[in-house]
Amino acid sequence: MTPKVFKIPDGKGGIIYQIQTPDGQWHDTDEAGNILEKPDPVREDGAPLSQKCPKGERKKAKRNASPKDRSAVNFNLHFPGEDYKEFSDYVHWRCIFKEECSKAGFLIGLAMDIVRKDREYREFRKKNG
């Protein structure tokens, strides 16, 4: 029994003829149902393309800079929604009525004040630093 030849539009105004074998594979054919051999793909310079190309090594988007090279470090800080709203409103109010500041600048200033005022930590740094 000869397999049925299917006409399939190629999306470019042409038609591709294919048959399906009993094992479920599709093969390109001519109008009569004769299986066509697929030519090996060829590059523009005429060299054949291999079927599977080895994957290249992944490149890191950024190299980690040594601590000496860093002038600033980024990190994420997650606030609960209501706390963030209150904090944001306070910094906005402070910018209007007291001094110009950013949220990050304000947090860094508070954190560094706490670090500088901690006597136990300063003593620890003197002994181990």
Side-chain angles (χ1 to χ4, degrees), residues 1 7 16-17 20 25-27 29 36 43 46 49 64 72-73 84-85 98 100 107:
M1 178 178 158
K7 292 182 185 180
I16 299 172
Y17 298 97
Q20 186 176 23
Q25 298 293 319
W26 287 91
H27 298 281
T29 65
L36 301 174
R43 294 190 313 209
L49 291 174
N64 291 334
V73 176
Y84 178 75
K85 174 87 172 95
K98 297 232 178 191
E100 188 69 27
L107 286 175

Short mmCIF file of all heavy atoms in Angstrom, two decimals, residues 1 7 16-17 20 25-27 29 36 43 46 49 64 72-73 84-85 98 100 107:
data_model
loop_
_atom_site.label_atom_id
_atom_site.label_comp_id
_atom_site.label_asym_id
_atom_site.label_seq_id
_atom_site.Cartn_x
_atom_site.Cartn_y
_atom_site.Cartn_z
N MET A 1 0.84 -1.18 0.00
CA MET A 1 0.00 0.00 0.00
C MET A 1 0.89 1.24 0.00
O MET A 1 1.80 1.35 0.81
CB MET A 1 -0.90 -0.02 1.23
CG MET A 1 -1.77 1.17 1.36
SD MET A 1 -2.81 0.97 2.80
CE MET A 1 -3.17 2.64 3.08
N LYS A 7 -0.30 17.63 0.60
CA LYS A 7 0.15 18.91 0.10
C LYS A 7 0.09 19.91 1.26
O LYS A 7 -0.98 20.14 1.82
CB LYS A 7 -0.76 19.42 -1.03
CG LYS A 7 -0.71 18.63 -2.29
CD LYS A 7 -1.63 19.29 -3.30
CE LYS A 7 -1.72 18.50 -4.57
NZ LYS A 7 -2.62 19.15 -5.54
N ILE A 16 4.68 22.07 -0.28
CA ILE A 16 5.61 21.01 0.08
C ILE A 16 4.80 19.71 0.10
O ILE A 16 3.69 19.67 0.60
CB ILE A 16 6.22 21.25 1.48
CG1 ILE A 16 7.00 22.56 1.51
CG2 ILE A 16 7.09 20.09 1.90
CD1 ILE A 16 7.46 22.94 2.92
N TYR A 17 5.37 18.67 -0.46
CA TYR A 17 4.72 17.36 -0.45
C TYR A 17 5.38 16.51 0.62
O TYR A 17 6.60 16.42 0.70
CB TYR A 17 4.85 16.69 -1.82
CG TYR A 17 4.17 17.46 -2.92
CD1 TYR A 17 4.90 18.32 -3.74
CD2 TYR A 17 2.80 17.34 -3.13
CE1 TYR A 17 4.28 19.04 -4.75
CE2 TYR A 17 2.18 18.06 -4.13
CZ TYR A 17 2.91 18.91 -4.94
OH TYR A 17 2.29 19.62 -5.93
N GLN A 20 3.64 10.47 5.66
CA GLN A 20 3.89 10.04 7.04
C GLN A 20 4.08 8.53 7.03
O GLN A 20 3.23 7.79 6.55
CB GLN A 20 2.74 10.42 7.96
CG GLN A 20 3.03 10.13 9.41
CD GLN A 20 1.91 10.60 10.34
OE1 GLN A 20 0.78 10.75 9.91
NE2 GLN A 20 2.25 10.81 11.59
N GLN A 25 6.90 9.33 11.47
CA GLN A 25 7.85 10.32 10.97
C GLN A 25 7.32 10.94 9.68
O GLN A 25 6.71 10.26 8.86
CB GLN A 25 9.22 9.67 10.70
CG GLN A 25 9.88 9.08 11.93
CD GLN A 25 10.27 10.15 12.92
OE1 GLN A 25 10.76 11.19 12.53
NE2 GLN A 25 10.05 9.89 14.19
N TRP A 26 7.57 12.24 9.48
CA TRP A 26 7.20 12.93 8.25
C TRP A 26 8.43 13.07 7.37
O TRP A 26 9.51 13.37 7.84
CB TRP A 26 6.64 14.31 8.57
CG TRP A 26 5.26 14.26 9.16
CD1 TRP A 26 4.95 14.20 10.47
CD2 TRP A 26 4.03 14.21 8.45
NE1 TRP A 26 3.59 14.13 10.65
CE2 TRP A 26 2.99 14.15 9.41
CE3 TRP A 26 3.70 14.22 7.11
CZ2 TRP A 26 1.66 14.09 9.07
CZ3 TRP A 26 2.35 14.18 6.76
CH2 TRP A 26 1.34 14.10 7.72
N HIS A 27 8.25 12.85 6.06
CA HIS A 27 9.35 12.94 5.11
C HIS A 27 8.91 13.78 3.92
O HIS A 27 7.78 13.65 3.42
CB HIS A 27 9.76 11.54 4.61
CG HIS A 27 10.25 10.65 5.71
ND1 HIS A 27 11.51 10.75 6.23
CD2 HIS A 27 9.63 9.65 6.38
CE1 HIS A 27 11.65 9.84 7.18
NE2 HIS A 27 10.52 9.16 7.29
N THR A 29 8.67 14.70 0.10
CA THR A 29 8.61 13.85 -1.10
C THR A 29 8.35 14.72 -2.33
O THR A 29 8.08 15.91 -2.21
CB THR A 29 7.48 12.81 -0.99
OG1 THR A 29 6.22 13.50 -0.96
CG2 THR A 29 7.61 11.94 0.22
N LEU A 36 12.49 12.45 -0.80
CA LEU A 36 13.62 13.28 -1.23
C LEU A 36 14.68 13.27 -0.14
O LEU A 36 14.39 13.32 1.06
CB LEU A 36 13.17 14.72 -1.48
CG LEU A 36 12.07 14.92 -2.52
CD1 LEU A 36 11.66 16.38 -2.53
CD2 LEU A 36 12.58 14.50 -3.88
N ARG A 43 27.07 26.60 4.72
CA ARG A 43 27.27 28.01 5.06
C ARG A 43 27.52 28.81 3.79
O ARG A 43 27.72 28.24 2.72
CB ARG A 43 28.46 28.17 6.00
CG ARG A 43 28.22 27.55 7.35
CD ARG A 43 29.29 27.94 8.33
NE ARG A 43 30.64 27.80 7.77
CZ ARG A 43 31.71 27.53 8.48
NH1 ARG A 43 31.60 27.36 9.76
NH2 ARG A 43 32.89 27.43 7.92
N GLY A 46 30.52 27.97 1.80
CA GLY A 46 30.55 26.66 1.17
C GLY A 46 30.85 25.51 2.11
O GLY A 46 30.76 24.36 1.72
N LEU A 49 27.48 22.70 7.42
CA LEU A 49 27.16 22.93 8.83
C LEU A 49 26.99 21.58 9.52
O LEU A 49 26.42 20.66 8.97
CB LEU A 49 25.84 23.71 8.96
CG LEU A 49 25.85 25.15 8.49
CD1 LEU A 49 24.44 25.70 8.54
CD2 LEU A 49 26.75 25.98 9.38
N ASN A 64 33.06 40.11 39.08
CA ASN A 64 33.02 40.66 40.42
C ASN A 64 34.27 41.49 40.66
O ASN A 64 35.38 41.02 40.50
CB ASN A 64 32.92 39.55 41.47
CG ASN A 64 31.59 38.86 41.42
OD1 ASN A 64 30.61 39.46 40.99
ND2 ASN A 64 31.53 37.62 41.84
N ALA A 72 30.91 51.78 45.38
CA ALA A 72 29.57 51.64 45.93
C ALA A 72 29.12 50.20 45.76
O ALA A 72 29.58 49.50 44.85
CB ALA A 72 28.60 52.57 45.22
N VAL A 73 28.23 49.76 46.61
CA VAL A 73 27.69 48.41 46.54
C VAL A 73 26.18 48.51 46.51
O VAL A 73 25.58 49.30 47.23
CB VAL A 73 28.13 47.59 47.79
CG1 VAL A 73 27.50 46.22 47.78
CG2 VAL A 73 29.64 47.49 47.84
N TYR A 84 6.87 50.95 54.48
CA TYR A 84 7.52 51.68 53.39
C TYR A 84 6.78 52.99 53.11
O TYR A 84 7.40 54.03 52.89
CB TYR A 84 7.60 50.85 52.12
CG TYR A 84 8.23 51.63 50.99
CD1 TYR A 84 9.60 51.86 50.97
CD2 TYR A 84 7.45 52.19 49.99
CE1 TYR A 84 10.19 52.61 49.96
CE2 TYR A 84 8.02 52.94 48.98
CZ TYR A 84 9.39 53.14 48.97
OH TYR A 84 9.96 53.90 47.99
N LYS A 85 5.46 52.93 53.12
CA LYS A 85 4.67 54.16 52.88
C LYS A 85 5.00 55.20 53.93
O LYS A 85 5.23 56.37 53.59
CB LYS A 85 3.18 53.80 52.90
CG LYS A 85 2.24 54.96 52.81
CD LYS A 85 1.98 55.32 51.36
CE LYS A 85 0.88 56.37 51.26
NZ LYS A 85 1.35 57.72 51.17
N LYS A 98 13.23 70.15 56.15
CA LYS A 98 14.51 70.14 56.86
C LYS A 98 15.69 70.23 55.91
O LYS A 98 16.30 71.28 55.79
CB LYS A 98 14.63 68.89 57.71
CG LYS A 98 13.58 68.80 58.82
CD LYS A 98 14.23 68.54 60.11
CE LYS A 98 13.16 68.50 61.19
NZ LYS A 98 13.74 68.52 62.48
N GLU A 100 17.60 68.44 52.12
CA GLU A 100 17.47 67.61 50.92
C GLU A 100 18.14 66.27 51.18
O GLU A 100 19.29 66.22 51.62
CB GLU A 100 18.14 68.31 49.74
CG GLU A 100 17.91 67.65 48.41
CD GLU A 100 16.47 67.76 47.92
OE1 GLU A 100 15.76 68.71 48.30
OE2 GLU A 100 16.07 66.87 47.17
N LEU A 107 18.86 56.31 54.91
CA LEU A 107 19.12 55.02 55.56
C LEU A 107 20.60 54.81 55.84
O LEU A 107 20.97 54.32 56.91
CB LEU A 107 18.59 53.87 54.70
CG LEU A 107 17.08 53.69 54.69
CD1 LEU A 107 16.71 52.60 53.71
CD2 LEU A 107 16.57 53.35 56.07
#
